[in-house]
Amino acid sequence: DAGITQSPRHKVTETGTPVTLRCHQTENHRYMYWYRQDPGHGLRLIHYSYGVKDTDKGEVSDGYSVSRSKTEDFLLTLESATSSQTSVYFCAIGSGTDYEQYFGPGTRLTVT
Amino acid sequence: AQSVTQLDSQVPVFEEAPVELRCNYSSSVSVYLFWYVQYPNQGLQLLLKYLSGSTLVKGINGFEAEFNKSQTSFHLRKPSVHISDTAEYFCAVSDRGNKLVFGAGTILRVKS
């Protein structure tokens, strides 16, 4: 998985609780992305980062925030989880030069 | 905004038969095109990409795709599939930036 880890890999949480997912890379890539995968929708971009402390919204950013204080770490936070945020979350990285993205193994989040 | 349409949600095929997975995109500007594969409970892996040059692109595992600008299509083909090709396949497009828009995915089921 191109030196990308995600933690936790599985999480069950209750509605209304905050949740933070972590993505860690060892490739020193500039770009990092958070996607969610839902049946029938493919992957949809939540937020992305183009450098330390530089982030921008994606297609489905409502209810999510991100932070990137170091090149290697990109955090996704659900401030108050809802059942509609039950999904599989993927982190991806990219160098920005070949336009490829490399994906992590995913985090399965269930909000009850 | 760009969009990607994968015309078949599922494609069943017998082992050793040829297969085509169809992808159309909406952008009228120059684009980069990608096909990714996702095996069960794993992240996405790049199969092939088109950035420029020859419109016939060869990828890993015997897959190839043809870029057709006039029809805004990027169909994926394999002349003879194996059981191990059973997976979900995603087409993605970039408008030459560093963000990808994914299609909803096509599940390829190879039967013996």
Side-chain angles (χ1 to χ4, degrees):
Chain A
D1 288 327
I4 310 170
T5 56
Q6 293 184 231
S7 58
R9 294 292 313 279
H10 302 271
K11 186 170 183 67
V12 179
T13 192
E14 293 184 350
T15 298
T17 59
V19 176
T20 296
L21 308 183
R22 180 180 183 242
C23 177
H24 178 78
Q25 62 148 327
T26 58
E27 305 296 321
N28 201 36
H29 280 350
R30 177 184 177 190
Y31 289 85
M32 298 186 76
Y33 307 83
W34 277 107
Y35 293 90
R36 59 178 290 172
Q37 182 180 22
D38 304 289
H41 291 277
L43 277 78
R44 292 179 291 176
L45 182 65
I46 304 171
H47 282 280
Y48 69 102
S49 170
Y50 46 95
V52 173
K53 297 191 174 151
D54 292 323
T55 65
D56 204 352
K57 296 179 180 180
E59 176 188 357
V60 290
S61 59
D62 287 348
Y64 302 94
S65 63
V66 290
S67 66
R68 191 171 179 197
S69 58
K70 297 184 290 185
T71 299
E72 57 266 35
D73 289 324
F74 193 33
L75 303 180
L76 176 71
T77 298
L78 291 64
E79 302 290 347
S80 177
T82 67
S83 58
S84 64
Q85 294 175 313
T86 291
S87 187
V88 180
Y89 291 85
F90 285 99
C91 175
I93 64 174
S95 66
T97 55
D98 59 6
Y99 304 98
E100 286 182 42
Q101 293 183 19
Y102 304 90
F103 284 80
T107 294
R108 184 173 296 276
L109 176 67
T110 303
V111 183
T112 61
Chain B
Q2 292 187 39
S3 66
V4 177
T5 302
Q6 292 187 239
L7 294 152
D8 305 291
S9 59
Q10 293 196 38
V11 174
V13 63
F14 284 103
E15 195 172 19
E16 298 184 10
V19 70
E20 178 180 80
L21 306 184
R22 297 179 292 169
C23 172
N24 285 92
Y25 62 94
S26 64
S27 177
S28 60
V29 301
S30 296
V31 295
Y32 297 144
L33 295 155
F34 304 81
W35 275 99
Y36 284 84
V37 60
Q38 184 181 33
Y39 299 104
N41 299 313
Q42 294 186 25
L44 278 70
Q45 177 184 353
L46 183 70
L47 270 180
L48 50 79
K49 64 183 178 183
Y50 171 79
L51 301 183
S52 64
S54 173
T55 57
L56 183 63
V57 180
K58 294 190 183 297
I60 62 171
N61 301 338
F63 284 93
E64 64 181 31
E66 185 157 18
F67 170 56
N68 188 319
K69 186 175 181 179
S70 63
Q71 298 188 8
T72 60
S73 69
F74 190 55
H75 300 334
L76 181 70
R77 301 185 182 101
K78 187 170 183 178
S80 176
V81 295
H82 302 284
I83 293 288
S84 59
D85 292 322
T86 294
E88 189 161 17
Y89 292 79
F90 293 95
C91 181
V93 62
S94 164
D95 61 356
R96 301 198 167 192
N98 283 288
K99 292 193 294 182
L100 295 178
V101 175
F102 285 85
T106 298
I107 296 173
L108 175 63
R109 298 190 191 281
V110 181
K111 303 178 288 185
S112 59

